[in-house]
Amino acid sequence: MFTLTQAEQIQDAGEKNYLIHEKGLWSWLTTVDHKRIAIMYMIAVLTFFLIGGIFALLIRLELFTPGQTIVSPDTYNKFMTFHGAIMVFMVIIPAIPAIFGNFVLPIMLGAKDVAFPRLNLASWYIFMIGAILAASTLFLGGVDTGWTFYTPYSISTSTNVVLTVLGAFTMGMASILTGLNFVVTIHKLRAPGQTMSRIPLFVWAIYATSIIQILATPVLGITLLLIAAERILGVGIFDPTLGGDPVLFQHFFWFYSHPAVYIMVLPAMGIISELITTFSRKTIFGYTAIAYSSFAIAGVSFIVWGHHMYVSGQSEFAGKLFSVLTMLVGVPTAIKLFNWIATMYKGSIRLDAPMLYAIGFMFLFTIGGLTGIFLASLGMDVHFHDTYFVVAHFHYVMVGGTLMAFTGGLLYWFPKMFGKMTSDTLGRISWVFVFTGFNVTFFPQFILGAMGMPRRYYDYLPEYTSLNQISTVGSWLIGLGFVIVLIAIIKAFISGEKASANPWGGKTLEWKTASPPHYENFETTPVVTEGPYEYR
Amino acid sequence: MSIANIETKHEGGHHGFGVDEHGHFHHAHHFKDAHHQYESSKQGIWLFMVTEILMFGGLFVAYAIYKSLYAPIFHVGSSFLDVKWGSVNTVILITSSFTMALGIYYNQTNQFQKAVVSLALTILCALGFMGIKYIEYSHKIHDGLLPGKFFTNKEFPKKLSEYIKKMEPEDLSPQMKEIASNPKRLEKAAPLYFGFYFAMTGLHGLHVVIGACLIFWVMVKTHRRRFSSEYYTPVEGVGIFWHIVDLIWIYLFPLLYLVG
Amino acid sequence: MFSLHFTVLANTFMPVQGSEIAVDVDYHYAFLVISSLIAFIILIGGMTLFIVKYKRQTENDKTAYISHNHFLEFLWSFIPFLIVMGVFYWGKVIYDKHRTFPEKAEEIHVIAQKWAWEFKYKNGVSIESAKGEVLHIPVGKPVRFIISSRDVLHSFFIPGFRNKQDAIPGRFTSMWIEAKQEGEYQVFCAEYCGTGHSNMPARIRAVAPEAYVAWLEEKKANTPVDPNAGNEMAMKGASLYKELGCSGCHTVASDAPKLSGPSWVGLFGSKREFADGSSVVGDENYIRESILNPMAKIVKGYAGIMPPYVGRVSDEEIDNIIEYIKTLK
């Protein structure tokens, strides 16, 4: 540990720490404390991650051999749908904003809570109701449309589409309300002296994410309601036999779902900004560029949805427009990467477990991002669309990107949240399994895609077998890696070393409170006099 | 960042905020003062309205696309709606926006009895609106003018064929021409208009009901003197919601009723 | 040449190149792979270098305070911008080749359904992937596919030609290819369409133009006479069997492999046993009910997954299907 100056000696919050300030299950279920709500989201999201992860392992197990390995095609299609829907709507979209946004953002701003604490609790309940609605289909025969619900298949299939889309709609409501809460918090609850150019980059990331949540999610909402209306009433909007247009569904769906992937990745990038500066003990390079690039990405994300639809029957002109705009998104993304690496230049770097995960992000997200350029190119995408190349690309950015950043953030803020240190050794071991396992699982899938293997395939040609088998073995390594993370967490709860207020030497405001924090975050409201990364 | 020692005043309790039994207002403890809380709440309410507009906006965009492709279907469909009832509903909603505004004003000026009356009148308007919707919907159900597979009205396809015959071929979109050339497909496509009718008025009607419940809630609170010139944010918030619901109807009415 | 070596390496996993456009795509791909590799080495190599070189020495290390460098930031924004714009342009040029249709192309209709392809030539010859038949095309001549679907979205994907196009019900889409050498190419469905999505492959064989013409004529001559010729209703029923998607789950030949629904062979006039123990002799009423409300009677040994056709099929069409079923003994 480094020496704390007199002014930085922080008292343990004792009886007033948020975990024990009020006791009993009811105090948790009726809490309006953003930190407790964050923990409740964490329990829910990690549980859903476990379930979604099990479906992933089942998928890869089935794909170990061509033809039937463990289940029928219909069951496999349901596994495929559950894996996607659970991971997208119940894990990757909410994870970082609802867990770390809720816990850390108000403290980073020097605030006592978010702007609307009761709305925050309501969001959690709405999220849980939506999750239960969607998950109930697990026991009612499942859904087999894929998480994208393309029409007309989603209209005619006999599986539980309506329940699933209503669940997703409800979870979307929670997403909107959380985003709304964060925007007003950032605008209105900053501590004295904290101008917008002094807020941490994690806050900028959540800010841009929240704008997307507010603007994009309602369109998904109405799209899902329309599918329900089609199935129940036969409205005819997407059903070609009734005069409808199935491709219109794709436009509506991707108008939300493309910005949604930036809801997934922008907060992750915010975490990386925090990790890189703290573990390099160096001020961030290009603060303004990173802050603005989040907004540039958010803005451009709304006008590129058609790159999912190059071969859908959309016009050639539209394809060209979407392609050139999609290329643009690569530039602010690359700028962030360059700035992070420049931050490490002449820094004082230590590869604690959270930093290892940040480095892992850089490695894997670079590959994911570069392959995104392959797919943005019209000529290339005509071949790669709906093949395993796409599957590899989005897993590199969502798992190699967001999930890596999430785990890094978890290990980074764990001492703050719970007052205990996790074992760094276990953290590093978990990283080896997750990082290696990830590449073993997904790199072969780029090759499978180039060879022409389409996605969502239950059965495949014999020549694709060896790559599929390698990929399956990789999935076991990833599973093991996350089990080790779980073990590290449990071990920390039971016998973790007591954490100081600032075990990593961070400079943002959350490290100026006790670990765990006082239930109102600060004994006295801080006054901010300098930027967030002043390592001098 | 460094910390300076500033004592914060903890006003009110941690258990809720608002006007207490003695008429004093306590702002929530994470805000600096009442004005800070008010500004923040307003911002939150408006952000939520943006999402509502975007959601309905999606429906409007879909409507615009289909209307441009299948103009005759929409034209004939609209002729089955009663402009009289639509106009009455429009007047009712505009009136209700006025009474809602009064409800806010009277709260702001501590005239609570008048506020309660204004809010009650607003709810009455909402009920009137839903009553007329009930009349309209039951007529549609009786006449078989329902969406998709429930559509059984025989007059519609006849009117549609006649209307198309009178149109110039170049005024018809290629998609419309293709459907018009096949009588079976024309029959199947006819209900498309009513799909939109029920989806748009249904979603809007749901918001009217939700709005009425919200107005009832603030009316009860007004009656219990929970608001004052110091604090009337919930009434204003509900009012903003109600005005947006009214605004959406102002767009719905001509699009659905007056294109015929 | 050095660059050719790399190109070959990058293309090791691509399918055989069926056309000139495939060659173009592969060059584009090779460029993307190599430039990505270079970018990756620079970025991640640089990062690794920094991790090693700037390892923390003491707890009180002082680090350089570098908040920005406008020149560097401009450079590393502008250069990537130029590169991606170049990539866009190159991709667009290839895309234009894919989607600009040659004047005189051989036209073949492609009809997708759950879960098989039907190819129809102008002269009436029909090739069905479900029967293992192979689509033939001439080498060196452009072939234009006019693509549609009978039920849900499918996608006509030919990896060897680096080309695909979605098949949309109620609409026609189009793509074209030109084989540059003889060979056989794989076709996959590339848009998820349910149970049999991964089991609706097809094969395309490119042959010399003379051989193609000969094959087409022979196929035409050998087209079996429709056994229902003269029975108008049954012939219409036979078409509806395909158009309405019944063929996805019900077979009409006694030697066809079992599908997810009961076969229609011998249905009419024979006893049907149902899951609840009851039974009925297959007649007009039973068939009609099963089309409109399939859940009413589920045949023993089958899952109740058939969607109802109420609202989707007219009375006349039902009559035609019934007549067709009567001919299946």
Side-chain angles (χ1 to χ4, degrees):
Chain A
M1 298 296 111
F2 67 114
T3 6
L4 293 166
T5 63
Q6 189 65 24
E8 288 178 326
Q9 295 289 352
I10 292 155
Q11 300 288 46
D12 193 319
E15 282 293 303
K16 294 217 184 123
N17 100 42
Y18 79 100
L19 285 169
I20 56 179
H21 171 68
E22 282 176 332
K23 298 203 168 77
L25 183 61
W26 190 247
S27 76
W28 280 82
L29 293 175
T30 55
T31 184
V32 292
D33 181 345
H34 66 101
K35 301 181 286 301
R36 286 192 168 196
I37 294 175
I39 308 284
M40 283 151 65
Y41 268 111
M42 190 166 93
I43 297 171
V45 167
L46 290 179
T47 308
F48 299 140
F49 176 59
L50 184 66
I51 300 174
I54 289 174
F55 280 116
L57 291 172
L58 288 171
I59 289 174
R60 287 272 20 124
L61 203 53
E62 170 54 47
L63 291 175
F64 194 71
T65 70
Q68 173 150 349
T69 313
I70 50 168
V71 291
S72 71
D74 281 329
T75 308
Y76 174 83
N77 289 333
K78 289 175 189 173
F79 284 176
M80 171 272 286
T81 305
F82 276 122
H83 170 69
I86 292 175
M87 289 306 201
V88 167
F89 293 115
M90 292 156 60
V91 180
I92 299 270
I93 286 179
I96 298 174
I99 301 174
F100 301 121
N102 258 319
F103 197 99
V104 169
L105 184 133
I107 308 181
M108 278 182 165
L109 294 177
K112 289 208 186 84
D113 209 307
V114 290
F116 310 116
R118 293 183 303 184
L119 189 67
N120 206 4
L121 182 67
S123 292
W124 183 81
Y125 276 105
I126 294 173
F127 175 73
M128 292 307 291
I129 291 171
I132 290 170
L133 271 175
S136 66
T137 60
L138 275 166
F139 307 105
L140 294 170
V143 200
D144 71 344
T145 57
W147 81 275
T148 50
F149 304 114
Y150 272 18
T151 57
Y153 186 81
S154 59
I155 300 172
S156 57
T157 179
S158 56
T159 56
N160 296 291
V161 175
V162 173
L163 209 49
T164 313
V165 299
L166 286 181
F169 178 87
T170 311
M171 286 188 277
M173 281 239 68
S175 183
I176 289 173
L177 294 175
T178 300
L180 190 155
N181 221 334
F182 286 160
V183 169
V184 181
T185 306
I186 294 169
H187 284 169
K188 291 291 189 187
L189 291 184
R190 296 193 306 275
Q194 195 175 55
T195 59
M196 286 302 282
S197 54
R198 285 178 179 169
I199 58 177
L201 287 169
F202 179 66
V203 178
W204 274 108
I206 298 284
Y207 188 19
T209 306
S210 302
I211 303 280
I212 301 178
Q213 282 175 292
I214 292 170
L215 296 180
T217 321
V219 180
L220 177 75
I222 194 69
T223 309
L224 295 174
L225 285 183
L226 284 175
I227 300 183
E230 270 280 21
R231 285 183 67 91
I232 299 172
L233 300 172
V235 169
I237 179 171
F238 302 129
D239 185 344
T241 62
L242 298 174
D245 182 356
V247 181
L248 184 66
F249 172 81
Q250 293 177 42
H251 283 291
F252 271 99
F253 180 81
W254 287 113
F255 185 83
Y256 163 75
S257 298
H258 189 79
V261 312
Y262 294 102
I263 297 176
M264 298 174 203
V265 95
L266 283 173
M269 291 170 156
I271 294 185
I272 300 301
S273 292
E274 301 299 322
L275 294 177
I276 300 277
T277 50
T278 302
F279 291 95
S280 306
R281 294 262 166 96
K282 184 163 168 273
T283 194
I284 191 87
F285 182 95
Y287 172 93
T288 313
I290 297 183
Y292 286 172
S293 68
S294 295
F295 274 84
I297 292 171
V300 178
S301 76
F302 276 93
I303 50 177
V304 299
W305 76 87
H307 67 231
H308 299 269
M309 298 170 59
Y310 288 151
V311 297
S312 66
Q314 114 185 322
S315 76
E316 275 103 54
F317 174 73
K320 291 173 194 172
L321 192 58
F322 284 121
S323 177
V324 74
L325 290 169
T326 306
M327 292 294 178
L328 283 186
V329 127
V331 178
T333 312
I335 288 174
K336 283 185 197 272
L337 274 161
F338 300 147
N339 284 9
W340 289 324
I341 297 177
T343 303
M344 293 166 75
Y345 173 72
K346 290 198 172 160
S348 161
I349 303 171
R350 201 172 75 180
L351 293 181
D352 294 287
M355 182 61 162
L356 264 184
Y357 275 94
I359 303 294
F361 174 100
M362 307 278 286
F363 186 105
L364 299 173
F365 185 80
T366 300
I367 297 177
L370 287 168
T371 50
I373 297 179
F374 284 62
L375 295 170
S377 158
L378 284 158
M380 211 61 248
D381 187 69
V382 174
H383 178 62
F384 280 137
H385 173 72
D386 257 338
T387 64
Y388 258 85
F389 194 93
V390 178
V391 178
H393 159 73
F394 66 69
H395 281 95
Y396 263 86
V397 287
M398 288 204 284
V399 180
T402 303
L403 209 53
M404 276 274 181
F406 174 83
T407 314
L410 181 62
L411 295 173
Y412 181 57
W413 281 309
F414 188 91
K416 179 59 53 187
M417 293 165 89
F418 300 108
K420 302 230 171 119
M421 300 298 290
T422 55
S423 152
D424 200 62
T425 312
L426 276 180
R428 292 187 194 198
I429 295 175
S430 77
W431 181 85
V432 172
F433 279 100
V434 172
F435 182 78
T436 315
F438 180 85
N439 281 307
V440 172
T441 310
F442 292 106
F443 199 84
Q445 293 185 8
F446 282 125
I447 302 174
L448 280 171
M451 288 168 76
M453 179 173 168
R455 59 183 287 200
R456 295 175 165 167
Y457 258 38
Y458 164 80
D459 191 5
Y460 51 81
L461 297 178
E463 52 254 44
Y464 299 142
T465 309
S466 43
L467 287 171
N468 267 293
Q469 292 186 328
I470 296 171
S471 183
T472 300
V473 171
S475 72
W476 300 335
L477 294 173
I478 302 179
L480 192 55
F482 279 110
V483 166
I484 298 175
V485 172
L486 185 63
I487 293 174
I489 304 282
I490 295 174
K491 189 155 178 278
F493 276 126
I494 299 173
S495 58
E497 190 190 307
K498 187 160 157 46
S500 69
N502 193 354
W504 311 116
K507 290 278 184 183
T508 41
L509 277 180
E510 77 270 29
W511 305 110
K512 306 273 197 290
T513 67
S515 302
H518 184 280
Y519 68 93
E520 279 192 324
N521 301 337
F522 298 96
E523 297 268 7
T524 56
T525 304
V527 171
V528 174
T529 55
E530 52 178 13
Y533 309 112
E534 296 298 293
Y535 288 92
R536 288 188 201 260
Chain B
M1 296 172 163
S2 69
I3 305 173
N5 280 336
I6 285 192
E7 291 302 313
T8 46
K9 273 210 155 82
H10 288 253
E11 292 189 2
H14 306 299
H15 309 287
F17 54 88
V19 178
D20 67 18
E21 309 79 49
H22 308 289
H24 298 301
F25 174 65
H26 303 279
H27 68 85
H29 67 111
H30 58 288
F31 290 110
K32 279 200 300 280
D33 53 40
H35 182 72
H36 188 211
Q37 177 174 327
Y38 175 72
E39 294 264 286
S40 306
S41 300
K42 282 287 282 283
Q43 197 176 101
I45 291 165
W46 278 110
L47 278 173
F48 181 68
M49 291 310 135
V50 166
T51 69
E52 287 279 4
I53 291 172
L54 277 168
M55 183 178 73
F56 274 96
L59 261 184
F60 279 104
V61 166
Y63 175 91
I65 293 173
Y66 280 99
K67 181 166 175 303
S68 72
L69 289 176
Y70 303 114
I73 295 181
F74 281 70
H75 180 94
V76 172
S78 167
S79 69
F80 281 85
L81 298 186
D82 197 334
V83 177
K84 174 186 84 212
W85 286 129
S87 309
V88 170
N89 262 346
T90 308
V91 169
I92 288 179
L93 274 190
I94 295 179
T95 309
S96 74
S97 267
F98 175 65
T99 54
M100 181 75 228
L102 281 180
I104 302 171
Y105 171 73
Y106 286 133
N107 261 306
Q108 286 171 327
T109 53
N110 295 317
Q111 300 176 72
F112 303 118
Q113 266 176 327
K114 288 193 185 157
V116 169
V117 169
S118 306
L119 293 173
L121 284 174
T122 314
I123 297 175
L124 231 59
C125 288
L127 291 173
F129 181 91
M130 292 314 294
I132 293 180
K133 272 256 101 39
Y134 172 78
I135 294 173
E136 286 184 286
Y137 275 19
S138 38
H139 277 159
K140 301 277 175 316
I141 295 170
H142 179 261
D143 291 342
L145 292 164
L146 290 167
K149 54 185 179 224
F150 302 105
F151 189 85
T152 54
N153 186 288
K154 298 290 177 213
E155 209 193 311
F156 191 104
K158 271 193 233 139
K159 261 183 122 175
L160 185 57
S161 314
E162 277 166 29
Y163 183 77
I164 293 174
K165 284 204 194 84
K166 286 196 221 128
M167 284 185 77
E168 295 292 331
E170 57 266 16
D171 289 337
L172 293 172
S173 72
Q175 291 87 345
M176 187 70 235
K177 278 206 209 106
E178 206 192 305
I179 292 191
S181 62
N182 182 337
K184 265 201 308 205
R185 286 197 73 186
L186 192 64
E187 212 181 293
K188 277 219 187 114
L192 189 63
Y193 173 82
F194 287 97
F196 276 101
Y197 172 78
F198 280 100
M200 291 166 93
T201 58
L203 192 61
H204 178 261
L206 182 65
H207 281 77
V208 170
V209 171
I210 293 172
C213 295
L214 288 171
I215 297 170
F216 182 73
W217 171 64
V218 289
M219 186 181 84
V220 168
K221 287 196 104 167
T222 304
H223 179 70
R224 292 194 186 151
R225 305 292 186 267
R226 282 283 183 246
F227 305 124
S228 70
S229 51
E230 278 179 18
Y231 175 70
Y232 48 86
T233 318
V235 197
E236 204 181 345
V238 170
I240 292 173
F241 179 82
W242 191 250
H243 292 318
I244 299 283
V245 168
D246 185 13
L247 187 68
I248 290 173
W249 175 259
I250 304 288
Y251 279 94
L252 273 185
F253 173 59
L255 282 182
L256 288 174
Y257 290 77
L258 303 179
V259 288
Chain C
M1 280 190 319
F2 188 69
S3 64
L4 265 179
H5 261 90
F6 268 107
T7 313
V8 168
L9 208 66
N11 291 340
T12 319
F13 300 109
M14 285 295 220
V16 77
Q17 295 164 332
S19 64
E20 289 301 330
I21 298 183
V23 177
D24 291 336
V25 171
D26 287 2
Y27 276 126
H28 185 45
Y29 174 64
F31 170 79
L32 285 168
V33 169
I34 293 165
S35 52
S36 297
L37 200 61
I38 295 172
F40 181 81
I41 290 171
I42 295 175
L43 273 172
I44 304 302
M47 179 182 81
T48 314
L49 213 74
F50 292 169
I51 292 173
V52 169
K53 188 160 176 215
Y54 300 111
K55 188 171 148 167
R56 189 173 301 175
Q57 309 293 342
T58 73
E59 280 305 321
N60 295 312
D61 280 358
K62 282 267 172 264
T63 56
Y65 189 85
I66 309 171
S67 65
H68 61 274
N69 180 327
H70 289 311
F71 175 67
L72 208 55
E73 288 177 74
F74 169 76
L75 220 60
W76 73 41
S77 308
F78 190 61
I79 294 175
F81 171 74
L82 289 177
I83 295 174
V84 295
M85 285 300 119
V87 169
F88 159 73
Y89 185 73
W90 190 344
K92 165 188 133 32
V93 165
I94 295 176
Y95 180 70
D96 278 335
K97 288 188 196 174
H98 266 319
R99 297 293 189 252
T100 308
F101 295 90
E103 294 264 318
K104 289 203 183 73
E106 182 84 1
E107 283 190 359
I108 302 177
H109 278 253
V110 176
I111 302 146
Q113 66 172 65
K114 292 190 280 194
W115 291 284
W117 301 94
E118 188 183 342
F119 304 105
K120 282 204 193 140
Y121 291 84
K122 281 268 155 68
N123 69 354
V125 168
S126 161
I127 295 291
E128 294 184 33
S129 72
K131 295 189 181 145
E133 296 172 342
V134 173
L135 176 68
H136 282 64
I137 60 171
V139 170
K141 297 216 189 301
V143 174
R144 178 180 182 150
F145 296 109
I146 298 169
I147 306 164
S148 181
S149 165
R150 289 199 175 113
D151 39 37
V152 296
L153 293 176
H154 298 270
S155 193
F156 187 60
F157 177 34
I158 320 173
F161 290 85
R162 315 289 186 272
N163 206 346
K164 67 165 66 75
Q165 179 68 261
D166 281 4
I168 307 170
R171 221 169 110 178
F172 291 107
T173 52
S174 203
M175 78 182 218
W176 76 279
I177 58 173
E178 183 177 317
K180 67 178 170 72
Q181 75 248 339
E182 296 193 23
E184 215 170 90
Y185 302 95
Q186 185 70 36
V187 172
F188 290 122
C189 173
E191 186 58 62
Y192 175 71
C193 52
T195 314
H197 172 53
S198 55
N199 266 305
M200 49 185 286
R203 305 282 297 168
I204 296 183
R205 192 175 296 149
V207 295
E210 315 78 47
Y212 168 72
V213 173
W215 174 86
L216 206 54
E217 279 173 10
E218 192 220 329
K219 267 294 207 203
K220 173 88 182 158
N222 289 344
T223 305
V225 175
D226 192 329
N228 293 324
N231 185 345
E232 278 279 321
M233 288 179 76
M235 283 174 69
K236 285 190 184 160
S239 294
L240 288 167
Y241 164 72
K242 279 196 216 149
E243 283 162 38
L244 292 174
C246 322
S247 58
C249 301
H250 300 282
T251 53
V252 292
S254 36
D255 55 354
K258 190 172 156 184
L259 294 174
S260 41
S263 172
W264 287 0
V265 178
L267 157 62
F268 196 85
S270 66
K271 187 156 150 204
R272 287 290 241 213
E273 284 187 13
F274 302 117
D276 61 2
S278 63
S279 65
V280 108
V281 171
D283 64 357
E284 284 91 345
N285 287 315
Y286 166 65
I287 296 172
R288 188 185 161 83
E289 182 190 50
S290 300
I291 293 174
L292 296 175
N293 183 13
M295 292 296 153
K297 294 186 174 64
I298 300 176
V299 175
K300 198 155 88 173
Y302 291 89
I305 53 166
M306 174 174 159
Y309 275 76
V310 62
R312 293 204 273 152
V313 64
S314 70
D315 290 345
E316 193 193 324
E317 287 169 334
I318 294 177
D319 292 343
N320 291 334
I321 293 171
I322 293 174
E323 288 309 310
Y324 175 55
I325 292 179
K326 283 183 187 170
T327 69
L328 299 169
K329 308 230 198 313

